[in-house]
Amino acid sequence: MIPSVNTSGSDTRGLLHYLYETGKYEDHTDPHLVASFDGMSPDPGRDPKATLTDLQQLLDQPVMALAKHARPAKHVWHTSVRADPGDRILSDEEWAGIARRIVAATGIDPGEGQPGCRWAAVRHADDHIHIVATLVTEDGHRPDDFRSGARAQTEARLIEKELGLHQVAPGDGTAAQRPTSAERHKAERQGRERTAREELRETVRRAVTGATSDVEFFDRLAAAGLLIRKRAAPSGDLLGYKVALPDDLNKDGDPVFYPGARLAPDLSLPRIRERWSGDTQGDPAPQQEDAVRTGPGTPAAARRRTASAVWQAVLVVEHGDDAVAAAHIAAAGEVLDALATTSAVHTRRELRNAATAFERASRSHVRAVRGHDRALRQAARDLIHCGPALGRGEDGASTAMAIDMLFFLITAAAHWHARKGHAQQAEAAARAAEHLRTAYQPAAAQPLGVLHQRGRRLSRPVLQRQTVLLREALPGLAEQVLAEPGWYALAATIAEAEAAGHDPAVLLSDAVERRELGTADSVSDVLVWRLRRTADLPADASALPEKGTAGGRPAPRRAATRPSARRRSGEETPGKSR
């Protein structure tokens, strides 16, 4: 149950007109009062003699009783209280009780002999009510409604438990502001799928991704077609900014601007600058060389570098200091945005959904210490600057590799938030992981299909030798891997690694030690991407000649390098892997 409080209204009748309007909005059916401050307020929905003006004048009476100069400019308090889509349909009596509890908890009408404000609760749909109040008490004072939004949320959690409704994870004040009812209905009138606030938040978030300066950030906003207003100090120093959609206008025909901080807490200019100020600290982020046949500036190379940076970040989130882990989690959001922006159509939708869901998980009360996340931010920047990837070949296969690694990072972030008691963030990260799981399937189908066919054509002695190797390296999981359809893709990958001069036992040992595999949906898939990344094998094997089909075994020319200082120490992270 979600209360959404707005305290900036000035037109009581205009709001009532919207609540009782049935001609424009599909969900406005049978609008009527379910409760009011006195239980006897006129109901324009059910009483043919009552008018909107009657109800407005009754609610506004304490306001109008004040001298004109003493009346508050913004005197209308409004909240919608919406049930979860999976909840049962509540009766009018139940909604009336909810309304009374909300106005009492928020200080609008505290009861127990204390003077309260006049209010009315209108129901015009099965799943929610609106409460309208005027912010002057019966004795002419301002109500004690400080932090009424947070107080409404707290009361809603209690109501959910008592009525057996879906229990929303408690917030911590770091969430982005939700669109108001007026913004949602304006979007419906304009034929938009999302409100202007939501579109602007996503556009600004993408503009920040991998940016390194004010100039680059504002250039990206302008390129995205946003209107920009900058706020400067008398000295000329830039202090803040506002953005607007060119076609989102108010009643006077002027663009509706939103400050960055009103879009999301971490989109204010000072918070944005913290990201690139960290980029200049210490040594530059390490750049990894690609041994595969992809140029350093190609989308595929950027994805491979992303996979490596993401894999190292998993260890930091699982074992690092909280402030450093928080920075990596925030930077993971930038990587998701960059990957979604530059990926092919068949994965783009789910990747965007993952990025949108993870936005809530990127902030908490653990303040991120920037600078340690430079490798991830550089990966996001590389993805943007290397441009769109094709959905096939090395581009498509390296996208699957990056998604696979990102799944583990986002899952690690979900566990981290859960350990900290960040319920909303943990839930958001878990949703993002599910979108990544869905995006992975079409991305991986073609490259794993090629490897599967190659594995099926390996000679019997080669397969037998690899079976023994697998049982030695993964004694607890070998039989599960051998029974998976992905075993043949893994066998082909091991054969390629051998042909390239790697010791497959070392590769498998390293892949297993780096993270637990017991709960993976497909252990073989996970191992394929870990081995191909570590051994610098092309993500897409279709362009390579087949090797390793004979019974002989090439002598290893070099051993894979094992990470030492950052290797896991046997500690496992609970939860479900992909």
Side-chain angles (χ1 to χ4, degrees), residues 18-38:
Y18 159 71
L19 296 180
Y20 278 92
E21 173 64 53
T22 58
K24 294 182 179 179
Y25 312 113
E26 292 182 1
D27 64 342
H28 287 208
T29 59
D30 186 25
H32 59 280
L33 287 185
V34 294
S36 65
F37 71 100
D38 60 357

Side-chain angles (χ1 to χ4, degrees), residues 404 440 448 470 474 477 480-491 493 517 520-531 578:
D404 180 82
Y440 171 80
L448 288 181
L470 185 73
L474 281 75
L477 291 172
Q480 175 183 336
V481 172
L482 291 169
E484 290 178 350
W487 156 239
Y488 289 104
L490 177 58
T493 295
L517 294 167
D521 287 349
S522 174
V523 176
S524 50
D525 276 20
V526 175
L527 292 176
V528 163
W529 299 119
R530 292 186 188 180
L531 264 62
R578 189 194 49 71

Side-chain angles (χ1 to χ4, degrees), residues 16 20 33 41-42 44 51-60 120:
L16 291 173
Y20 278 92
L33 287 185
S41 298
T51 67
L52 293 177
T53 300
D54 293 336
L55 182 54
Q56 171 257 316
Q57 288 178 344
L58 180 65
L59 295 176
D60 279 347

Side-chain angles (χ1 to χ4, degrees), residues 316-493:
V316 176
V317 172
E318 290 180 339
H319 304 295
D321 294 337
D322 284 350
V324 176
H328 281 75
I329 290 172
E334 294 191 48
V335 175
L336 282 172
D337 276 319
L339 193 65
T341 300
T342 59
S343 289
V345 173
H346 67 298
T347 57
R348 189 180 304 151
R349 181 182 181 87
E350 288 298 332
L351 288 173
R352 283 182 173 175
N353 288 340
T356 300
F358 192 73
E359 187 266 345
R360 179 66 189 95
S362 64
R363 294 183 304 274
S364 71
H365 280 305
V366 178
R367 189 65 176 267
V369 175
R370 295 292 186 168
H372 300 282
D373 57 343
R374 283 175 293 122
L376 280 181
R377 294 205 73 246
Q378 182 63 46
R381 184 174 178 82
D382 286 349
L383 289 170
I384 295 295
H385 283 273
C386 289
L390 301 175
R392 60 184 184 275
E394 188 68 18
D395 281 8
S398 58
T399 296
M401 177 186 290
I403 293 173
D404 180 82
M405 300 296 174
L406 272 167
F407 177 88
F408 285 103
L409 176 56
I410 301 310
T411 300
H415 296 330
W416 185 86
H417 280 305
R419 291 195 300 270
K420 301 297 176 187
H422 305 158
Q424 287 189 358
Q425 290 91 333
E427 184 180 48
R431 288 200 313 273
E434 286 306 308
H435 286 299
L436 287 174
R437 189 194 301 274
T438 303
Y440 171 80
Q441 299 302 326
Q446 189 275 335
L448 288 181
V450 170
L451 287 169
H452 178 86
Q453 293 302 319
R454 289 196 170 201
R456 293 294 297 265
R457 291 194 291 270
L458 290 173
S459 66
R460 183 179 297 274
V462 171
L463 284 172
Q464 288 176 339
R465 186 174 69 249
Q466 292 181 359
T467 299
V468 172
L469 176 68
L470 185 73
R471 286 174 171 150
E472 290 175 352
L474 281 75
L477 291 172
E479 299 310 315
Q480 175 183 336
V481 172
L482 291 169
E484 290 178 350
W487 156 239
Y488 289 104
L490 177 58
T493 295

